[in-house]
Amino acid sequence: MTIPHGSPTPTEEAAGLPEFLAAVVRPGDRVLQIGPGTAAVQLAQRARRVVSVHSTLADVEAVRASLGPRGRSADAVDAQVGDLFEGRPDAAPYDLVVVTAGVRGISPRWLDQLAPGGVVVAPIALGGLHPWVLVGPHARDGLLYGRVLAVDPSDAGPPPADGQLYVTRPAPAEPAEPPAATTAPLWLGPLSPRFKPERYVDLWAWLAGQDDRFTVAGLDIAGPEPGCALVVGTSAVYVRPDGIWMSDAEPVTITLTDIVSDYVRRWLIQRQPEADEMTCRVDRPPTAGPDELFVAAGWTTARPVNLPR
């Protein structure tokens, strides 16, 4: 599912839960909400017990204000300031952890605080997008997998910096600056007669899942909206709804153009899979320590994943 621009997200004060998230919450759930916004208030309308952890007192006060007098007196949400990486071990275990900040990966603390069969829903950085990914153990092998629930293109922005867990939402993130073009960017033509512009975010997510050199990139000459580009050194090939652009006519850039064109053809041949058909493995890198994030890798549309919910 791709969410159109301007659609509600869980970090908007007045918004109800989006459909993809509401479908994950069960009436008896014990829920931990992590990050900015007042999603905990909407979660409390569906779940049995909701606690939340925020990085600032202002975020906690926003939750309490949204509860109103009746919600505060009923202790509908237990909101506290704390370390987002650490979660809330004092109230664990949880059936569902909902993260409302774009993250590079999944904190091992969140996984430690899950009840058996519990899952995490988080917007995980992927090529400048932050698709909402449901992460949990596979029914067959018990290993962690993720499947995309939805993608909101308005969340496009650079991933958290190295050493950071998350990017604050819903403040818009500026697209990363691609390599400076030595000449005006060159338009190479449309993607394909079969391509529909409304499928652009699906293509973007798929490209980023195939090659981690794709990133968010602005291209003023093609419009104000951020898009994606394959970037290597000082060369960039931009994939936009109106077609493919390249930063210059240098040999390395032309080679990258051939790579990008081949990726686009593969997506079209595979019948233009949607972002919510994508799944991934979620694990620590081989050399990671016990406190490092579980990251998403091996993105594909060819692996069905049977998660707890």
Side-chain angles (χ1 to χ4, degrees):
M1 177 196 300
T2 301
I3 307 175
H5 285 272
S7 293
T9 69
T11 54
E12 294 176 343
E13 284 194 19
L17 291 178
E19 180 181 350
F20 72 86
L21 187 54
V24 176
V25 186
R26 295 173 178 171
D29 278 347
R30 297 156 295 178
V31 180
L32 169 63
Q33 184 260 314
I34 296 171
T38 59
V41 177
Q42 288 77 43
L43 288 164
Q45 297 171 6
R46 292 176 171 267
R48 182 180 68 177
R49 167 75 170 158
V50 177
V51 302
S52 62
V53 57
H54 305 268
S55 57
T56 69
L57 183 59
D59 287 334
V60 172
E61 292 301 329
V63 171
R64 291 173 178 168
S66 297
L67 285 169
R70 180 177 299 179
R72 288 193 295 273
S73 63
D75 293 326
V77 177
D78 175 7
Q80 296 184 14
V81 176
D83 185 331
L84 304 192
F85 180 89
E86 296 294 333
R88 285 281 305 274
D90 59 298
Y94 307 104
D95 304 295
L96 174 65
V97 174
V98 176
V99 184
T100 54
V103 295
R104 289 191 297 114
I106 304 299
S107 166
R109 304 290 189 274
W110 307 342
L111 298 171
D112 291 343
Q113 293 165 34
L114 287 176
V119 295
V120 177
V121 176
I124 298 177
L126 177 65
L129 295 171
H130 291 89
W132 290 88
V133 181
L134 175 71
V135 176
H138 196 288
R140 184 186 68 251
D141 56 23
L143 299 175
L144 285 176
Y145 290 86
R147 61 179 174 85
V148 173
L149 299 177
V151 181
D152 186 347
S154 66
D155 291 335
D162 288 344
Q164 292 184 349
L165 167 66
Y166 64 96
V167 289
T168 302
R169 296 158 49 101
E174 292 295 325
E177 288 294 329
T182 56
T183 61
L186 305 174
W187 186 65
L188 300 182
L191 296 174
S192 166
R194 292 181 290 159
F195 174 75
K196 296 179 174 58
E198 60 268 23
R199 300 296 309 282
Y200 175 63
V201 175
D202 296 315
L203 172 59
W204 180 351
W206 188 89
L207 290 171
Q210 301 300 305
D211 193 322
D212 60 12
R213 295 176 296 179
F214 279 97
T215 186
V216 63
L219 186 62
D220 291 340
I221 197 171
E225 297 295 333
C228 71
L230 179 63
V231 178
V232 176
T234 59
S235 296
V237 176
Y238 306 85
V239 182
R240 310 285 302 189
D242 67 343
I244 297 176
W245 300 66
M246 62 182 182
S247 58
D248 52 61
E250 295 296 322
V252 65
T253 309
I254 294 172
T255 299
L256 291 179
T257 301
D258 293 337
I259 294 172
V260 168
S261 298
D262 183 61
Y263 278 136
V264 173
R265 281 193 294 270
R266 285 168 52 192
W267 181 74
L268 291 166
I269 290 171
Q270 293 181 26
R271 300 184 179 180
Q272 305 179 40
E274 297 184 14
D276 61 6
E277 298 176 52
M278 295 175 62
T279 65
C280 61
R281 279 280 291 115
V282 180
D283 205 350
R284 287 192 182 99
T287 59
D291 290 336
E292 295 193 41
L293 298 176
F294 284 68
V295 296
W299 292 92
T300 181
T301 57
R303 181 204 305 117
V305 171
N306 182 16
L307 297 180
R309 58 178 76 193

